[in-house]
Amino acid sequence: MSTRNVLAILLVAAAIAACSAKKKHGEPQASAGASAATAAAATASDAAAEVGARIYSGNCVPCHQQNGVGIPSVYPSLAGSSVVLGDPAQLARWVIKGQRPPSMSAGRYPTQMLQFGWMKPADAAALFSYLRSNFGNSAAPVDAAAVAKALGQ
């Protein structure tokens, strides 16, 4: 069985498990309309988090490592990073176009940040939201419209 098939089976199993989660005894029950809206928002948020995690794993891990701490004196840590936690527009221009944010001093790391110009605003927003909510970070998610605006699209 190919890796792709195994991953597809795991994703389907996870989706089924998530759909079959039961309400705990004694929890208040919301109205059907509110429940549906909350569930839809949670599903969209989960999907974006999954996309962000996948993009991170496939593109960022070699430099910034699986845990986001980077490689000292070579690749910066994303944990507590002022660039990650700061202005999402500056982060978008740095990652997509290679425009160094004013808050990041030049020459601190000997390596150059790769440009990910292939990313669509929705993909970049998912990645940035993932970075801003993982590795001990806690910042507001980023939406695709903000990324598109930052990139002049």
Side-chain angles (χ1 to χ4, degrees), residues 12-152:
V12 169
I16 291 169
C19 290
S20 65
K22 299 195 186 242
K23 180 177 98 64
K24 293 181 184 174
H25 180 68
E27 284 183 352
Q29 188 170 354
S31 70
S35 293
T38 302
T43 301
S45 176
D46 290 347
E50 184 180 320
V51 169
R54 188 173 16 132
I55 291 171
Y56 182 80
S57 291
N59 297 280
C60 309
V61 167
C63 300
H64 298 288
Q65 306 299 295
Q66 190 66 42
N67 60 4
V69 298
I71 298 174
S73 301
V74 181
Y75 299 112
S77 173
L78 301 175
S81 165
S82 62
V83 175
V84 170
L85 298 172
D87 181 4
Q90 289 183 6
L91 178 60
R93 288 188 293 271
W94 176 234
V95 173
I96 308 296
K97 292 185 173 184
Q99 295 175 358
R100 180 182 295 275
S103 63
M104 177 183 263
S105 58
R108 183 165 177 202
Y109 293 94
T111 54
Q112 176 66 32
M113 173 71 184
L114 299 175
Q115 293 180 33
F116 293 93
W118 55 266
M119 268 198 253
K120 295 177 180 162
D123 293 332
L127 173 62
F128 302 157
S129 295
Y130 175 80
L131 297 177
R132 292 164 62 92
S133 64
N134 285 278
F135 316 120
N137 295 333
S138 181
V142 178
D143 70 340
V147 173
K149 181 178 178 184
L151 299 175

